[in-house]
Every structure is written in C-alpha cells, then in structure tokens.
Amino acid sequence: KKKLKISGRELVSVPAQVFGLDQLQVLEMSPERESCLRYRMELLPREISHLRNLTCLYVDSNNLKKIPAEIGTLSHLERLTLSNNSLSSLPPEMGALQRLHSLHLANNSLTELPAPLCQLRSLTFLDVSDNKIGTIPSGIRHLEKLETLLLLFNSLESLPEDVCLLRNLCTLWLGNNHLRSLPASFGELVNLDWGYNYCSCNFEGNPLESPPPEVCSRGPEEIRDYFLSFRRT
C-alpha cells in the first residue's frame, strides 16, 4: 500500500483516488524502462501536495510541460525523475526539497540550469543531459555533496570556476557541448576516476583548445601542470 505503479498505453492523467493515499511513499507513472512507450500526461496535478509521505516520484517519458509549485511541499522526497518530457522551466519552490538526493532531468527543453537547484544541499546525483543549457550558475558551488553531474548534449560554451569547488564529484560528463576551454582549477577535481578508462570524466565532442584533449585524458596532474606552465610564462 505504500508503493503504486500506474501504467497504461494512453495514460493522460492521474486518477483522483491516488491523492487520497496519504501514506504512499513511492509513485511511478512512467513506462517500463525497456518499453518504447511514451505516456501523454502534460500536467502534474497540484493535488500531488496531498502525498506528503512520498519519497520517490517517477514521471519520466510523459509530455509534462509544467511542474506545479506544490511540488515544494513534498518535504520527504528523495528521488525525482522527470527525464524525457517537455519541460522548459522548473518552479522555484523546488528549492525546498531539502531531502532530495537524486534528480533526473535529461531530454527536456531547459535552456539554463534553474537557480533553485543550487539550493538542494543533499543532492548527490544530477542529470541534465540532452537539454539546451548554455550557462551554469555560480550557485552550483553550494551543491557540496554532489557526486555525479551529467551535462552531455547541451550548449555549454564555458564552465564557471565554481564547478571546481565540487570536490566530491566522482563523475562529470561534459561530452557534446561547445567547450573550448576548462577552468584553470579544473585539475583540483581529484576524486574523478581518470586512469586509462576516463569514462567518469567525458569531454568528447567538444572543440577543446585549452587544455587540448590529449592533456585532459591524462588526468588532473597533467591539467594542473598545463595551467601552471602558463602562469610561469
């Protein structure tokens, strides 16, 4: 009774009875991962606020265009998946989700990393791949617990130095953006698992010049030496 999965080939709305399940902890309204289905729900009802005990909310692969402000009342929420929708913005009230540690926003229409996300101090996983994000706010430095940041297939032309303050980052994917350079302190991200298989730090598909790709692939020490050589000259 604490976990509910709603499924249907043409799911367009949430049955009203769901919002009476005030002890519900997990609510899933997404197609099966291996399915090619995409549901057609465009709006997450404001009545979602009635489910105060939710810890996990899965609404991937719908057609969501807006998230209601009431999402901010779900104070127990730990995991929220909104990938594969049509979101162009997020409500500022999301900044109130202080227990949230995993947020999936891949394949939407976001053009910037919403500022409220920088208030989510418990966040350890953030996926904003395949959007249209062009800038990262300096407030990202407040995500001190962040371990995984996925930014592939966006429109980034630069990274702020503040990203280099995320010292707990173990995975950072930057592939297929428009990056020509990295911050001078990028080599301080020593928890990234570089090694020979540097899949935890991906730069492919960027026109990198400073430092060049061959330097990036060698790890943090090589990057630090690269920028130090410029300071000496």
Side-chain angles (χ1 to χ4, degrees):
K1 294 182 179 180
K2 294 186 177 182
K3 181 177 181 179
L4 176 64
K5 176 176 175 60
I6 301 175
S7 60
R9 184 177 294 273
E10 297 294 331
L11 183 69
V12 295
S13 63
V14 185
Q17 300 94 314
V18 170
F19 302 118
L21 304 175
D22 56 3
Q23 297 303 309
L24 198 63
Q25 294 179 344
V26 179
L27 176 57
E28 184 171 354
M29 296 180 287
S30 303
E32 297 292 342
R33 297 292 183 270
E34 65 274 9
S35 169
C36 62
L37 288 179
R38 191 181 181 110
Y39 292 172
R40 297 190 296 137
M41 185 164 54
E42 294 188 1
L43 296 174
L44 191 63
R46 293 186 300 173
E47 289 80 5
I48 195 73
S49 61
H50 297 173
L51 305 179
R52 295 297 179 92
N53 288 299
L54 273 188
T55 59
C56 299
L57 177 59
Y58 303 93
V59 277
D60 316 84
S61 300
N62 276 273
N63 193 28
L64 291 176
K65 297 177 179 177
K66 186 177 180 180
I67 301 298
E70 285 77 6
I71 194 79
T73 65
L74 303 180
S75 58
H76 293 284
L77 203 61
E78 298 176 359
R79 183 178 177 88
L80 176 60
T81 66
L82 296 167
S83 296
N84 304 316
N85 279 290
S86 302
L87 298 170
S88 58
S89 64
L90 296 173
E93 289 79 5
M94 279 190 65
L97 302 177
Q98 290 302 308
R99 294 192 186 184
L100 197 67
H101 60 71
S102 182
L103 178 58
H104 298 241
L105 292 166
N107 193 21
N108 275 285
S109 300
L110 299 172
T111 56
E112 60 182 1
L113 194 64
L117 301 191
C118 298
Q119 303 172 31
L120 303 177
R121 302 298 180 92
S122 295
L123 210 59
T124 60
F125 181 98
L126 176 59
D127 183 1
V128 285
S129 303
D130 204 3
N131 278 279
K132 303 172 184 177
I133 294 172
T135 57
I136 303 294
S138 60
I140 197 171
R141 66 181 181 275
H142 297 307
L143 303 182
E144 299 172 353
K145 296 183 179 180
L146 199 63
E147 297 176 359
T148 300
L149 177 57
L150 308 183
L151 288 160
L152 298 91
F153 293 99
N154 276 290
S155 302
L156 292 172
E157 296 185 356
S158 63
L159 285 179
E161 289 279 348
D162 300 82
V163 170
C164 305
L165 298 175
L166 303 175
R167 301 300 169 82
N168 286 312
L169 271 185
C170 297
T171 302
L172 175 60
W173 288 0
L174 297 166
N176 294 90
N177 278 281
H178 308 306
L179 297 172
R180 293 189 176 276
S181 63
L182 298 177
S185 54
F186 194 86
E188 301 302 320
L189 295 174
V190 294
N191 283 327
L192 292 175
D193 180 18
W194 303 72
Y196 294 104
N197 181 10
Y198 65 104
C199 63
S200 71
C201 193
N202 177 289
F203 304 100
E204 292 180 3
N206 285 286
L208 273 176
E209 298 173 356
S210 176
E214 59 270 20
V215 173
C216 292
S217 65
R218 295 176 196 149
E221 290 186 8
E222 291 287 342
I223 292 177
R224 285 199 296 267
D225 290 345
Y226 175 86
F227 285 113
L228 279 173
S229 66
F230 280 96
R231 292 174 188 169
R232 295 191 189 106
T233 59

